[in-house]
Amino acid sequence: MDGGKQAGTRFWRWRSNPLRRRDDVVEAWIVLAMWTVVAVGGSVAGLVTATTAEETFARQRAERHPVRAVLLADVPEPDSALRSSGDKALAKVRWTAPDGSARTDLTLVGTGLKAGTGLTVWQDGHGTPATAPPSPPEAAVEAGLLGTFAGLALTGAVYATGALARWRLDRRRIDEWGREWDLVGPKWGHRTG
């Protein structure tokens, strides 16, 4: 098939044609709108999500600070049968907050440590324990993944909405064909079967 005939076949819903129905034109507009929203909206959603995530991670790096803490109790080795892959346990630690007050709280530490062991814990500007912020390379990867997932989520939602609209158009076309057959069928005379 040559290129001109193939292009004409591909865009038949847009051309004037006595067999073209109004629903065919509506379906063509739905497909065009879907592709436009996927291309433009998916890119925008991905970029906005990635930028917002990157800004959040940068703010976390600015607000959170490591401080030296002291382990207050021994952390026993876990039972070998129950050993986890992380080999971490909750333990009570003490550190000095930015206002100079002494703070104690539970945090995850490695197992097998003795009381008095020095550790590094992270705290926010209020002296509350926090997780370590992601490094700039980790933040870039995570922001990129979040942006990709946001674009894919929008694509999935648009595809599902478009598929539902096209399904409804198909149902309407089938119902119209049934009504037309009810009008034309008896004019053909005898029925078979």
Side-chain angles (χ1 to χ4, degrees):
M1 186 181 276
D2 67 17
K5 283 188 177 184
Q6 191 175 22
T9 304
R10 191 176 297 139
F11 298 110
W12 68 271
R13 288 181 174 96
W14 296 101
R15 294 180 314 173
S16 181
N17 182 334
L19 299 177
R20 183 184 70 185
R21 299 166 298 225
R22 189 176 71 81
D23 288 349
D24 296 330
V25 175
V26 170
E27 184 177 16
W29 281 106
I30 288 171
V31 170
L32 179 65
M34 283 174 50
W35 280 106
T36 303
V37 171
V38 164
V40 175
S43 299
V44 169
L47 287 173
V48 167
T49 302
T51 302
T52 303
E54 186 66 44
E55 289 170 357
T56 301
F57 297 142
R59 188 172 52 250
Q60 287 177 354
R61 283 192 300 275
E63 292 173 352
R64 296 178 183 178
H65 304 287
V67 293
R68 292 297 298 162
V70 176
L71 188 61
L72 298 179
D74 291 347
V75 182
E77 289 283 342
D79 185 18
S80 61
L82 302 174
R83 190 174 203 113
S84 69
S85 62
D87 290 334
K88 299 273 185 180
L90 277 177
K92 195 172 246 185
V93 295
R94 182 179 58 237
W95 72 95
T96 304
D99 62 4
S101 63
R103 301 276 175 102
T104 59
D105 207 339
L106 294 174
T107 189
L108 281 175
V109 298
T111 58
L113 298 176
K114 301 290 182 198
T117 302
L119 304 167
T120 300
V121 296
W122 287 81
Q123 67 179 358
D124 62 13
H126 305 291
T128 307
T131 58
S135 67
E138 292 170 339
V141 168
E142 194 168 339
L145 287 173
L146 289 171
T148 300
F149 289 143
L152 290 174
L154 179 72
T155 299
V158 168
Y159 179 78
T161 303
L164 178 65
R166 293 177 73 192
W167 176 80
R168 298 221 14 168
L169 284 172
D170 284 342
R171 295 299 315 155
R172 193 161 84 182
R173 283 189 281 242
I174 290 170
D175 292 343
E176 285 178 17
W177 288 336
R179 284 191 297 274
E180 290 174 8
W181 183 252
D182 288 342
L183 293 173
V184 174
K187 295 179 183 177
W188 284 19
H190 67 285
R191 292 184 186 243
T192 60

